[in-house]
Amino acid sequence: MDSAFRLYEADLHCHTTASDGLLSPTELVLLAAKLGIKGIGITDHDTIQGWEEAEEAGAKHQVQILKGIELNTNWNGKEVHILGYEMDSSSGIFSEKLKVLRKAREKRMVEILKRLQDLEINISVDEVQEFAKGESIGRPHIGQALVKHGYVKDIREGFERYLGTEAPAYVPRYKLTSEEGIHLIREAHGVAVLAHPGVHGLDEEIPVWVKAGLQGIEVFHSQHNPVDELRYLEIAQEYHLLTTGGSDFHGEACKPNVNLGGWGVSLKVIQQILDVAQHN
Ligand code: AMP
Ligand code: FE
Ligand code: FE
Ligand code: ZN
């Protein structure tokens, strides 16, 4: 869906340099302020490292910050992404589990580099670490190193030829099950939201996740078409779920055509999420 002419008040799905986004939390907030976006959700993969800096910048530039995370979970061999909002960062189980997930990312990165070496592509751990400015390493960082060395022209090609699930250097990593992910978020008093269900194609499983503690569904997303939006609006109504939305902004070079604020919701949805979190 092209979003060139739309701008939402609040974009609740954004990545920063804490994981695989290209902008630092401060840069992201500055971009939001420049565009006139009033609220953003910081939803990095397996880390909350970006929260503090985003909140400081947000306070300075009048951009409301919703504290979030994205967990890529496993459901019978398929990947299902769960967003969490407003977790209690002092929860020991939550921070311990995130650490385990990030360690697994590092281990997998080394294994991917070995596979690339078998394909006569030499990229060092240090080089990937340089692209991964934050504490959560991901395949896009390896993709950036592939681009730098001229093996591919952009990150997308890096996924197509080497890093994607069907590509020769792909290595899976340890993941929580979707239910475990939801429980982890709820244990830390956060609000668990199903990310971009249109990408997963597992609508029939939604009732199971609602039973596990799911409280929201990401209806508006850069990879949803209008038919998806209407379907998930209906499902949200049926199961009394919060309706959320966001672009999944990573930065132009990582996800071209996914502009900040191009998908999202009204600002009052942030308050709805905060209210639900209060009672969790
Ligand atoms: P990882 O977290 O290491 O498993 O890598 C998954 C991340 O890679 C996703 O969060 C996306 O940001 C990014 N990604 C996945 N597929 C592609 C693609 N085809 N092109 C660019 N980035 C991608
Ligand atoms: Fe990502
Ligand atoms: Fe996702
Ligand atoms: Zn995301």
Side-chain angles (χ1 to χ4, degrees), residues 15 20-21 45-46 70 72 79 81 105 108 112 136-141 155-160 164 170-171 173 175 248 250 253-256:
H15 296 266
D20 56 4
H45 303 287
D46 302 339
E70 184 172 26
N72 295 8
E79 205 169 289
H81 298 188
R105 285 177 167 279
R108 192 240 339 217
I112 291 177
S136 181
I137 278 195
R139 282 176 286 165
H141 301 124
I155 297 176
R156 173 182 290 266
E157 193 190 338
F159 272 83
E160 263 168 33
Y170 177 70
V171 178
R173 65 182 163 84
K175 293 190 191 91
D248 214 343
H250 281 68
C254 189
K255 287 201 178 180

PDB file of all heavy atoms in Angstrom, residues 15 20-21 45-46 70 72 79 81 105 108 112 136-141 155-160 164 170-171 173 175 248 250 253-256, ligand 1:
ATOM      1  N   HIS A  15      11.438   0.886  14.605  1.00  0.00           N
ATOM      2  CA  HIS A  15      12.708   0.294  15.040  1.00  0.00           C
ATOM      3  C   HIS A  15      13.804   1.359  15.050  1.00  0.00           C
ATOM      4  O   HIS A  15      13.790   2.283  14.240  1.00  0.00           O
ATOM      5  CB  HIS A  15      13.086  -0.869  14.129  1.00  0.00           C
ATOM      6  CG  HIS A  15      12.102  -2.000  14.197  1.00  0.00           C
ATOM      7  ND1 HIS A  15      12.264  -3.072  15.035  1.00  0.00           N
ATOM      8  CD2 HIS A  15      10.918  -2.196  13.570  1.00  0.00           C
ATOM      9  CE1 HIS A  15      11.236  -3.892  14.915  1.00  0.00           C
ATOM     10  NE2 HIS A  15      10.395  -3.382  14.023  1.00  0.00           N
ATOM     11  N   ASP A  20      17.479  -3.301  14.641  1.00  0.00           N
ATOM     12  CA  ASP A  20      17.899  -3.219  13.244  1.00  0.00           C
ATOM     13  C   ASP A  20      17.402  -1.979  12.499  1.00  0.00           C
ATOM     14  O   ASP A  20      17.427  -1.941  11.278  1.00  0.00           O
ATOM     15  CB  ASP A  20      17.509  -4.500  12.484  1.00  0.00           C
ATOM     16  CG  ASP A  20      16.018  -4.801  12.559  1.00  0.00           C
ATOM     17  OD1 ASP A  20      15.273  -3.974  13.134  1.00  0.00           O
ATOM     18  OD2 ASP A  20      15.601  -5.853  12.052  1.00  0.00           O
ATOM     19  N   GLY A  21      16.978  -0.955  13.236  1.00  0.00           N
ATOM     20  CA  GLY A  21      16.636   0.311  12.591  1.00  0.00           C
ATOM     21  C   GLY A  21      17.901   1.096  12.261  1.00  0.00           C
ATOM     22  O   GLY A  21      18.961   0.849  12.833  1.00  0.00           O
ATOM     23  N   HIS A  45      13.483  -5.126  18.274  1.00  0.00           N
ATOM     24  CA  HIS A  45      13.500  -6.578  18.438  1.00  0.00           C
ATOM     25  C   HIS A  45      14.295  -6.953  19.696  1.00  0.00           C
ATOM     26  O   HIS A  45      15.497  -6.662  19.802  1.00  0.00           O
ATOM     27  CB  HIS A  45      14.181  -7.254  17.246  1.00  0.00           C
ATOM     28  CG  HIS A  45      13.578  -6.934  15.913  1.00  0.00           C
ATOM     29  ND1 HIS A  45      12.371  -7.447  15.503  1.00  0.00           N
ATOM     30  CD2 HIS A  45      14.020  -6.160  14.889  1.00  0.00           C
ATOM     31  CE1 HIS A  45      12.110  -7.006  14.273  1.00  0.00           C
ATOM     32  NE2 HIS A  45      13.087  -6.210  13.885  1.00  0.00           N
ATOM     33  N   ASP A  46      13.628  -7.594  20.647  1.00  0.00           N
ATOM     34  CA  ASP A  46      14.289  -8.198  21.827  1.00  0.00           C
ATOM     35  C   ASP A  46      15.092  -7.228  22.694  1.00  0.00           C
ATOM     36  O   ASP A  46      15.994  -7.674  23.427  1.00  0.00           O
ATOM     37  CB  ASP A  46      15.223  -9.358  21.399  1.00  0.00           C
ATOM     38  CG  ASP A  46      14.489 -10.442  20.631  1.00  0.00           C
ATOM     39  OD1 ASP A  46      13.261 -10.523  20.762  1.00  0.00           O
ATOM     40  OD2 ASP A  46      15.147 -11.200  19.898  1.00  0.00           O
ATOM     41  N   GLU A  70       9.312  -5.815  20.110  1.00  0.00           N
ATOM     42  CA  GLU A  70       8.774  -6.805  19.171  1.00  0.00           C
ATOM     43  C   GLU A  70       9.505  -8.122  19.395  1.00  0.00           C
ATOM     44  O   GLU A  70      10.740  -8.167  19.359  1.00  0.00           O
ATOM     45  CB  GLU A  70       8.934  -6.343  17.712  1.00  0.00           C
ATOM     46  CG  GLU A  70       8.290  -7.320  16.718  1.00  0.00           C
ATOM     47  CD  GLU A  70       8.257  -6.809  15.275  1.00  0.00           C
ATOM     48  OE1 GLU A  70       9.114  -5.983  14.897  1.00  0.00           O
ATOM     49  OE2 GLU A  70       7.372  -7.256  14.521  1.00  0.00           O
ATOM     50  N   ASN A  72       9.909 -11.904  17.907  1.00  0.00           N
ATOM     51  CA  ASN A  72       9.620 -12.799  16.781  1.00  0.00           C
ATOM     52  C   ASN A  72       9.529 -14.209  17.346  1.00  0.00           C
ATOM     53  O   ASN A  72      10.533 -14.791  17.734  1.00  0.00           O
ATOM     54  CB  ASN A  72      10.718 -12.714  15.718  1.00  0.00           C
ATOM     55  CG  ASN A  72      10.777 -11.340  15.074  1.00  0.00           C
ATOM     56  OD1 ASN A  72      10.102 -10.413  15.512  1.00  0.00           O
ATOM     57  ND2 ASN A  72      11.578 -11.216  14.038  1.00  0.00           N
ATOM     58  N   GLU A  79       6.857 -18.143  11.739  1.00  0.00           N
ATOM     59  CA  GLU A  79       7.229 -16.993  12.552  1.00  0.00           C
ATOM     60  C   GLU A  79       6.015 -16.093  12.796  1.00  0.00           C
ATOM     61  O   GLU A  79       5.315 -15.723  11.858  1.00  0.00           O
ATOM     62  CB  GLU A  79       8.343 -16.198  11.849  1.00  0.00           C
ATOM     63  CG  GLU A  79       9.170 -15.405  12.836  1.00  0.00           C
ATOM     64  CD  GLU A  79      10.436 -14.823  12.228  1.00  0.00           C
ATOM     65  OE1 GLU A  79      11.363 -15.581  11.928  1.00  0.00           O
ATOM     66  OE2 GLU A  79      10.484 -13.585  12.060  1.00  0.00           O
ATOM     67  N   HIS A  81       5.005 -12.535  14.929  1.00  0.00           N
ATOM     68  CA  HIS A  81       5.581 -11.414  15.668  1.00  0.00           C
ATOM     69  C   HIS A  81       4.581 -10.874  16.686  1.00  0.00           C
ATOM     70  O   HIS A  81       3.432 -10.595  16.350  1.00  0.00           O
ATOM     71  CB  HIS A  81       6.015 -10.308  14.700  1.00  0.00           C
ATOM     72  CG  HIS A  81       7.086 -10.761  13.742  1.00  0.00           C
ATOM     73  ND1 HIS A  81       7.738  -9.909  12.890  1.00  0.00           N
ATOM     74  CD2 HIS A  81       7.637 -11.987  13.549  1.00  0.00           C
ATOM     75  CE1 HIS A  81       8.638 -10.594  12.192  1.00  0.00           C
ATOM     76  NE2 HIS A  81       8.582 -11.853  12.566  1.00  0.00           N
ATOM     77  N   ARG A 105      20.834 -14.515  19.325  1.00  0.00           N
ATOM     78  CA  ARG A 105      21.064 -13.741  18.095  1.00  0.00           C
ATOM     79  C   ARG A 105      22.551 -13.673  17.769  1.00  0.00           C
ATOM     80  O   ARG A 105      22.956 -13.796  16.618  1.00  0.00           O
ATOM     81  CB  ARG A 105      20.521 -12.315  18.260  1.00  0.00           C
ATOM     82  CG  ARG A 105      19.017 -12.200  18.187  1.00  0.00           C
ATOM     83  CD  ARG A 105      18.569 -10.768  18.429  1.00  0.00           C
ATOM     84  NE  ARG A 105      17.176 -10.589  18.067  1.00  0.00           N
ATOM     85  CZ  ARG A 105      16.743 -10.404  16.830  1.00  0.00           C
ATOM     86  NH1 ARG A 105      17.591 -10.316  15.836  1.00  0.00           N
ATOM     87  NH2 ARG A 105      15.450 -10.283  16.589  1.00  0.00           N
ATOM     88  N   ARG A 108      23.828 -17.045  16.574  1.00  0.00           N
ATOM     89  CA  ARG A 108      23.364 -17.302  15.216  1.00  0.00           C
ATOM     90  C   ARG A 108      24.146 -16.476  14.200  1.00  0.00           C
ATOM     91  O   ARG A 108      24.460 -16.938  13.106  1.00  0.00           O
ATOM     92  CB  ARG A 108      21.864 -16.996  15.130  1.00  0.00           C
ATOM     93  CG  ARG A 108      21.252 -17.499  13.848  1.00  0.00           C
ATOM     94  CD  ARG A 108      20.602 -16.514  12.926  1.00  0.00           C
ATOM     95  NE  ARG A 108      20.184 -15.271  13.462  1.00  0.00           N
ATOM     96  CZ  ARG A 108      19.090 -14.668  13.086  1.00  0.00           C
ATOM     97  NH1 ARG A 108      18.282 -15.245  12.265  1.00  0.00           N
ATOM     98  NH2 ARG A 108      18.809 -13.468  13.542  1.00  0.00           N
ATOM     99  N   ILE A 112      25.933 -17.770  10.847  1.00  0.00           N
ATOM    100  CA  ILE A 112      25.646 -17.255   9.495  1.00  0.00           C
ATOM    101  C   ILE A 112      26.956 -16.853   8.807  1.00  0.00           C
ATOM    102  O   ILE A 112      27.170 -17.158   7.629  1.00  0.00           O
ATOM    103  CB  ILE A 112      24.671 -16.058   9.548  1.00  0.00           C
ATOM    104  CG1 ILE A 112      23.271 -16.518   9.971  1.00  0.00           C
ATOM    105  CG2 ILE A 112      24.594 -15.355   8.181  1.00  0.00           C
ATOM    106  CD1 ILE A 112      22.247 -15.394  10.127  1.00  0.00           C
ATOM    107  N   SER A 136      20.995  -5.511  20.150  1.00  0.00           N
ATOM    108  CA  SER A 136      20.259  -6.608  19.500  1.00  0.00           C
ATOM    109  C   SER A 136      20.681  -6.744  18.039  1.00  0.00           C
ATOM    110  O   SER A 136      20.340  -5.929  17.195  1.00  0.00           O
ATOM    111  CB  SER A 136      18.749  -6.347  19.606  1.00  0.00           C
ATOM    112  OG  SER A 136      18.030  -7.392  19.023  1.00  0.00           O
ATOM    113  N   ILE A 137      21.448  -7.799  17.771  1.00  0.00           N
ATOM    114  CA  ILE A 137      21.988  -8.008  16.426  1.00  0.00           C
ATOM    115  C   ILE A 137      20.994  -8.755  15.558  1.00  0.00           C
ATOM    116  O   ILE A 137      20.322  -9.661  16.029  1.00  0.00           O
ATOM    117  CB  ILE A 137      23.314  -8.808  16.541  1.00  0.00           C
ATOM    118  CG1 ILE A 137      24.435  -7.828  16.868  1.00  0.00           C
ATOM    119  CG2 ILE A 137      23.616  -9.598  15.305  1.00  0.00           C
ATOM    120  CD1 ILE A 137      25.800  -8.360  16.661  1.00  0.00           C
ATOM    121  N   GLY A 138      20.907  -8.375  14.282  1.00  0.00           N
ATOM    122  CA  GLY A 138      19.986  -9.064  13.383  1.00  0.00           C
ATOM    123  C   GLY A 138      20.570  -9.227  12.000  1.00  0.00           C
ATOM    124  O   GLY A 138      21.619  -8.659  11.671  1.00  0.00           O
ATOM    125  N   ARG A 139      19.854  -9.990  11.188  1.00  0.00           N
ATOM    126  CA  ARG A 139      20.327 -10.238   9.829  1.00  0.00           C
ATOM    127  C   ARG A 139      20.527  -8.962   9.012  1.00  0.00           C
ATOM    128  O   ARG A 139      21.428  -8.906   8.174  1.00  0.00           O
ATOM    129  CB  ARG A 139      19.369 -11.192   9.116  1.00  0.00           C
ATOM    130  CG  ARG A 139      19.554 -12.643   9.527  1.00  0.00           C
ATOM    131  CD  ARG A 139      18.524 -13.531   8.879  1.00  0.00           C
ATOM    132  NE  ARG A 139      17.219 -13.370   9.494  1.00  0.00           N
ATOM    133  CZ  ARG A 139      16.078 -13.793   8.962  1.00  0.00           C
ATOM    134  NH1 ARG A 139      16.079 -14.380   7.785  1.00  0.00           N
ATOM    135  NH2 ARG A 139      14.936 -13.627   9.598  1.00  0.00           N
ATOM    136  N   PRO A 140      19.717  -7.902   9.214  1.00  0.00           N
ATOM    137  CA  PRO A 140      19.967  -6.684   8.434  1.00  0.00           C
ATOM    138  C   PRO A 140      21.369  -6.103   8.650  1.00  0.00           C
ATOM    139  O   PRO A 140      21.913  -5.466   7.755  1.00  0.00           O
ATOM    140  CB  PRO A 140      18.893  -5.711   8.937  1.00  0.00           C
ATOM    141  CG  PRO A 140      17.782  -6.600   9.376  1.00  0.00           C
ATOM    142  CD  PRO A 140      18.459  -7.792   9.988  1.00  0.00           C
ATOM    143  N   HIS A 141      21.958  -6.350   9.820  1.00  0.00           N
ATOM    144  CA  HIS A 141      23.314  -5.853  10.062  1.00  0.00           C
ATOM    145  C   HIS A 141      24.320  -6.614   9.202  1.00  0.00           C
ATOM    146  O   HIS A 141      25.284  -6.033   8.700  1.00  0.00           O
ATOM    147  CB  HIS A 141      23.678  -5.976  11.550  1.00  0.00           C
ATOM    148  CG  HIS A 141      22.744  -5.223  12.447  1.00  0.00           C
ATOM    149  ND1 HIS A 141      22.063  -5.815  13.472  1.00  0.00           N
ATOM    150  CD2 HIS A 141      22.352  -3.921  12.431  1.00  0.00           C
ATOM    151  CE1 HIS A 141      21.296  -4.910  14.071  1.00  0.00           C
ATOM    152  NE2 HIS A 141      21.451  -3.756  13.458  1.00  0.00           N
ATOM    153  N   ILE A 155      20.095  -4.324   0.987  1.00  0.00           N
ATOM    154  CA  ILE A 155      19.804  -5.324   2.023  1.00  0.00           C
ATOM    155  C   ILE A 155      18.802  -6.362   1.518  1.00  0.00           C
ATOM    156  O   ILE A 155      18.926  -7.547   1.779  1.00  0.00           O
ATOM    157  CB  ILE A 155      19.306  -4.632   3.318  1.00  0.00           C
ATOM    158  CG1 ILE A 155      20.415  -3.730   3.877  1.00  0.00           C
ATOM    159  CG2 ILE A 155      18.887  -5.649   4.367  1.00  0.00           C
ATOM    160  CD1 ILE A 155      20.016  -2.917   5.096  1.00  0.00           C
ATOM    161  N   ARG A 156      17.829  -5.871   0.750  1.00  0.00           N
ATOM    162  CA  ARG A 156      16.818  -6.781   0.198  1.00  0.00           C
ATOM    163  C   ARG A 156      17.475  -7.912  -0.613  1.00  0.00           C
ATOM    164  O   ARG A 156      17.136  -9.087  -0.454  1.00  0.00           O
ATOM    165  CB  ARG A 156      15.839  -5.989  -0.688  1.00  0.00           C
ATOM    166  CG  ARG A 156      14.847  -6.853  -1.446  1.00  0.00           C
ATOM    167  CD  ARG A 156      13.970  -5.986  -2.328  1.00  0.00           C
ATOM    168  NE  ARG A 156      13.073  -5.194  -1.508  1.00  0.00           N
ATOM    169  CZ  ARG A 156      11.834  -5.578  -1.200  1.00  0.00           C
ATOM    170  NH1 ARG A 156      11.380  -6.718  -1.668  1.00  0.00           N
ATOM    171  NH2 ARG A 156      11.082  -4.835  -0.446  1.00  0.00           N
ATOM    172  N   GLU A 157      18.435  -7.529  -1.460  1.00  0.00           N
ATOM    173  CA  GLU A 157      19.137  -8.539  -2.259  1.00  0.00           C
ATOM    174  C   GLU A 157      19.943  -9.470  -1.338  1.00  0.00           C
ATOM    175  O   GLU A 157      20.072 -10.669  -1.606  1.00  0.00           O
ATOM    176  CB  GLU A 157      20.053  -7.860  -3.293  1.00  0.00           C
ATOM    177  CG  GLU A 157      20.560  -8.847  -4.341  1.00  0.00           C
ATOM    178  CD  GLU A 157      21.664  -8.274  -5.231  1.00  0.00           C
ATOM    179  OE1 GLU A 157      21.788  -7.042  -5.367  1.00  0.00           O
ATOM    180  OE2 GLU A 157      22.417  -9.096  -5.787  1.00  0.00           O
ATOM    181  N   GLY A 158      20.456  -8.912  -0.256  1.00  0.00           N
ATOM    182  CA  GLY A 158      21.176  -9.727   0.725  1.00  0.00           C
ATOM    183  C   GLY A 158      20.284 -10.824   1.289  1.00  0.00           C
ATOM    184  O   GLY A 158      20.717 -11.966   1.467  1.00  0.00           O
ATOM    185  N   PHE A 159      19.012 -10.487   1.557  1.00  0.00           N
ATOM    186  CA  PHE A 159      18.060 -11.486   2.049  1.00  0.00           C
ATOM    187  C   PHE A 159      17.725 -12.484   0.948  1.00  0.00           C
ATOM    188  O   PHE A 159      17.664 -13.684   1.200  1.00  0.00           O
ATOM    189  CB  PHE A 159      16.780 -10.813   2.576  1.00  0.00           C
ATOM    190  CG  PHE A 159      16.880 -10.438   4.021  1.00  0.00           C
ATOM    191  CD1 PHE A 159      17.496  -9.257   4.411  1.00  0.00           C
ATOM    192  CD2 PHE A 159      16.395 -11.277   5.013  1.00  0.00           C
ATOM    193  CE1 PHE A 159      17.609  -8.920   5.760  1.00  0.00           C
ATOM    194  CE2 PHE A 159      16.505 -10.948   6.360  1.00  0.00           C
ATOM    195  CZ  PHE A 159      17.112  -9.768   6.734  1.00  0.00           C
ATOM    196  N   GLU A 160      17.516 -11.992  -0.258  1.00  0.00           N
ATOM    197  CA  GLU A 160      17.148 -12.884  -1.360  1.00  0.00           C
ATOM    198  C   GLU A 160      18.239 -13.906  -1.636  1.00  0.00           C
ATOM    199  O   GLU A 160      17.975 -15.088  -1.781  1.00  0.00           O
ATOM    200  CB  GLU A 160      16.902 -12.057  -2.627  1.00  0.00           C
ATOM    201  CG  GLU A 160      15.434 -11.738  -2.862  1.00  0.00           C
ATOM    202  CD  GLU A 160      15.272 -10.682  -3.935  1.00  0.00           C
ATOM    203  OE1 GLU A 160      16.104 -10.643  -4.879  1.00  0.00           O
ATOM    204  OE2 GLU A 160      14.326  -9.888  -3.823  1.00  0.00           O
ATOM    205  N   GLY A 164      17.774 -14.805   3.703  1.00  0.00           N
ATOM    206  CA  GLY A 164      16.358 -15.165   3.860  1.00  0.00           C
ATOM    207  C   GLY A 164      16.180 -16.629   4.225  1.00  0.00           C
ATOM    208  O   GLY A 164      17.117 -17.435   4.095  1.00  0.00           O
ATOM    209  N   TYR A 170      21.113 -19.058   5.563  1.00  0.00           N
ATOM    210  CA  TYR A 170      20.111 -18.907   6.636  1.00  0.00           C
ATOM    211  C   TYR A 170      20.382 -19.882   7.783  1.00  0.00           C
ATOM    212  O   TYR A 170      20.627 -21.053   7.572  1.00  0.00           O
ATOM    213  CB  TYR A 170      18.703 -19.147   6.107  1.00  0.00           C
ATOM    214  CG  TYR A 170      17.651 -19.068   7.202  1.00  0.00           C
ATOM    215  CD1 TYR A 170      17.335 -17.843   7.790  1.00  0.00           C
ATOM    216  CD2 TYR A 170      17.017 -20.219   7.683  1.00  0.00           C
ATOM    217  CE1 TYR A 170      16.400 -17.770   8.810  1.00  0.00           C
ATOM    218  CE2 TYR A 170      16.079 -20.154   8.700  1.00  0.00           C
ATOM    219  CZ  TYR A 170      15.777 -18.926   9.261  1.00  0.00           C
ATOM    220  OH  TYR A 170      14.869 -18.848  10.267  1.00  0.00           O
ATOM    221  N   VAL A 171      20.329 -19.352   8.980  1.00  0.00           N
ATOM    222  CA  VAL A 171      20.418 -20.180  10.185  1.00  0.00           C
ATOM    223  C   VAL A 171      19.275 -19.736  11.105  1.00  0.00           C
ATOM    224  O   VAL A 171      19.135 -18.548  11.370  1.00  0.00           O
ATOM    225  CB  VAL A 171      21.776 -19.977  10.914  1.00  0.00           C
ATOM    226  CG1 VAL A 171      21.833 -20.813  12.184  1.00  0.00           C
ATOM    227  CG2 VAL A 171      22.938 -20.325   9.990  1.00  0.00           C
ATOM    228  N   ARG A 173      17.186 -19.253  14.668  1.00  0.00           N
ATOM    229  CA  ARG A 173      17.679 -18.956  16.017  1.00  0.00           C
ATOM    230  C   ARG A 173      16.625 -19.347  17.036  1.00  0.00           C
ATOM    231  O   ARG A 173      15.463 -19.587  16.691  1.00  0.00           O
ATOM    232  CB  ARG A 173      18.028 -17.470  16.138  1.00  0.00           C
ATOM    233  CG  ARG A 173      16.846 -16.552  16.006  1.00  0.00           C
ATOM    234  CD  ARG A 173      17.258 -15.107  16.095  1.00  0.00           C
ATOM    235  NE  ARG A 173      16.230 -14.244  15.578  1.00  0.00           N
ATOM    236  CZ  ARG A 173      15.183 -13.811  16.265  1.00  0.00           C
ATOM    237  NH1 ARG A 173      15.011 -14.176  17.521  1.00  0.00           N
ATOM    238  NH2 ARG A 173      14.306 -13.025  15.702  1.00  0.00           N
ATOM    239  N   LYS A 175      13.798 -19.200  19.534  1.00  0.00           N
ATOM    240  CA  LYS A 175      12.650 -18.296  19.687  1.00  0.00           C
ATOM    241  C   LYS A 175      11.723 -18.829  20.769  1.00  0.00           C
ATOM    242  O   LYS A 175      11.652 -20.038  21.010  1.00  0.00           O
ATOM    243  CB  LYS A 175      11.851 -18.232  18.380  1.00  0.00           C
ATOM    244  CG  LYS A 175      12.575 -17.580  17.220  1.00  0.00           C
ATOM    245  CD  LYS A 175      11.604 -17.343  16.059  1.00  0.00           C
ATOM    246  CE  LYS A 175      12.346 -16.941  14.821  1.00  0.00           C
ATOM    247  NZ  LYS A 175      12.703 -18.095  13.983  1.00  0.00           N
ATOM    248  N   ASP A 248       6.166   0.062  10.902  1.00  0.00           N
ATOM    249  CA  ASP A 248       7.303  -0.864  10.941  1.00  0.00           C
ATOM    250  C   ASP A 248       8.519  -0.182  10.308  1.00  0.00           C
ATOM    251  O   ASP A 248       9.316  -0.805   9.598  1.00  0.00           O
ATOM    252  CB  ASP A 248       6.995  -2.172  10.196  1.00  0.00           C
ATOM    253  CG  ASP A 248       7.667  -3.381  10.832  1.00  0.00           C
ATOM    254  OD1 ASP A 248       8.610  -3.177  11.619  1.00  0.00           O
ATOM    255  OD2 ASP A 248       7.259  -4.512  10.531  1.00  0.00           O
ATOM    256  N   HIS A 250      12.008   1.129   9.585  1.00  0.00           N
ATOM    257  CA  HIS A 250      13.390   0.712   9.901  1.00  0.00           C
ATOM    258  C   HIS A 250      14.403   1.705   9.340  1.00  0.00           C
ATOM    259  O   HIS A 250      15.586   1.619   9.649  1.00  0.00           O
ATOM    260  CB  HIS A 250      13.712  -0.650   9.296  1.00  0.00           C
ATOM    261  CG  HIS A 250      13.178  -1.843  10.039  1.00  0.00           C
ATOM    262  ND1 HIS A 250      11.841  -2.128  10.134  1.00  0.00           N
ATOM    263  CD2 HIS A 250      13.810  -2.852  10.725  1.00  0.00           C
ATOM    264  CE1 HIS A 250      11.672  -3.250  10.826  1.00  0.00           C
ATOM    265  NE2 HIS A 250      12.849  -3.706  11.199  1.00  0.00           N
ATOM    266  N   ALA A 253      17.020   2.748   3.805  1.00  0.00           N
ATOM    267  CA  ALA A 253      17.903   1.761   3.186  1.00  0.00           C
ATOM    268  C   ALA A 253      17.557   0.336   3.606  1.00  0.00           C
ATOM    269  O   ALA A 253      17.908  -0.620   2.918  1.00  0.00           O
ATOM    270  CB  ALA A 253      19.364   2.062   3.533  1.00  0.00           C
ATOM    271  N   CYS A 254      16.859   0.196   4.749  1.00  0.00           N
ATOM    272  CA  CYS A 254      16.502  -1.147   5.221  1.00  0.00           C
ATOM    273  C   CYS A 254      15.155  -1.567   4.664  1.00  0.00           C
ATOM    274  O   CYS A 254      15.004  -2.646   4.117  1.00  0.00           O
ATOM    275  CB  CYS A 254      16.501  -1.189   6.742  1.00  0.00           C
ATOM    276  SG  CYS A 254      16.337  -2.858   7.397  1.00  0.00           S
ATOM    277  N   LYS A 255      14.153  -0.694   4.808  1.00  0.00           N
ATOM    278  CA  LYS A 255      12.822  -0.972   4.244  1.00  0.00           C
ATOM    279  C   LYS A 255      12.388   0.209   3.396  1.00  0.00           C
ATOM    280  O   LYS A 255      11.740   1.146   3.886  1.00  0.00           O
ATOM    281  CB  LYS A 255      11.798  -1.226   5.365  1.00  0.00           C
ATOM    282  CG  LYS A 255      11.969  -2.567   6.040  1.00  0.00           C
ATOM    283  CD  LYS A 255      10.696  -2.999   6.738  1.00  0.00           C
ATOM    284  CE  LYS A 255      10.890  -4.371   7.370  1.00  0.00           C
ATOM    285  NZ  LYS A 255       9.702  -4.869   8.059  1.00  0.00           N
ATOM    286  N   PRO A 256      12.743   0.199   2.119  1.00  0.00           N
ATOM    287  CA  PRO A 256      12.384   1.315   1.243  1.00  0.00           C
ATOM    288  C   PRO A 256      10.860   1.434   1.153  1.00  0.00           C
ATOM    289  O   PRO A 256      10.162   0.437   1.232  1.00  0.00           O
ATOM    290  CB  PRO A 256      12.971   0.911  -0.113  1.00  0.00           C
ATOM    291  CG  PRO A 256      13.886  -0.224   0.151  1.00  0.00           C
ATOM    292  CD  PRO A 256      13.446  -0.880   1.411  1.00  0.00           C
TER     293      PRO A 256
HETATM  294  P1  AMP B   1      16.380 -11.332  12.397  1.00  0.00           P
HETATM  295  O1  AMP B   1      15.771 -10.516  13.480  1.00  0.00           O
HETATM  296  O2  AMP B   1      17.851 -11.384  12.502  1.00  0.00           O
HETATM  297  O3  AMP B   1      15.764 -12.684  12.248  1.00  0.00           O
HETATM  298  O4  AMP B   1      16.082 -10.555  11.030  1.00  0.00           O
HETATM  299  C1  AMP B   1      14.750 -10.230  10.701  1.00  0.00           C
HETATM  300  C2  AMP B   1      14.666  -8.771  10.319  1.00  0.00           C
HETATM  301  O5  AMP B   1      15.205  -8.608   9.031  1.00  0.00           O
HETATM  302  C3  AMP B   1      13.249  -8.236  10.219  1.00  0.00           C
HETATM  303  O6  AMP B   1      12.878  -7.639  11.427  1.00  0.00           O
HETATM  304  C4  AMP B   1      13.334  -7.202   9.149  1.00  0.00           C
HETATM  305  O7  AMP B   1      13.668  -5.955   9.710  1.00  0.00           O
HETATM  306  C5  AMP B   1      14.492  -7.625   8.302  1.00  0.00           C
HETATM  307  N1  AMP B   1      14.090  -8.252   7.033  1.00  0.00           N
HETATM  308  C6  AMP B   1      13.460  -9.423   6.858  1.00  0.00           C
HETATM  309  N2  AMP B   1      13.312  -9.695   5.553  1.00  0.00           N
HETATM  310  C7  AMP B   1      13.865  -8.655   4.882  1.00  0.00           C
HETATM  311  C8  AMP B   1      14.034  -8.321   3.504  1.00  0.00           C
HETATM  312  N3  AMP B   1      13.600  -9.131   2.535  1.00  0.00           N
HETATM  313  N4  AMP B   1      14.654  -7.150   3.208  1.00  0.00           N
HETATM  314  C9  AMP B   1      15.096  -6.344   4.172  1.00  0.00           C
HETATM  315  N5  AMP B   1      14.970  -6.588   5.497  1.00  0.00           N
HETATM  316  C10 AMP B   1      14.364  -7.728   5.840  1.00  0.00           C
END
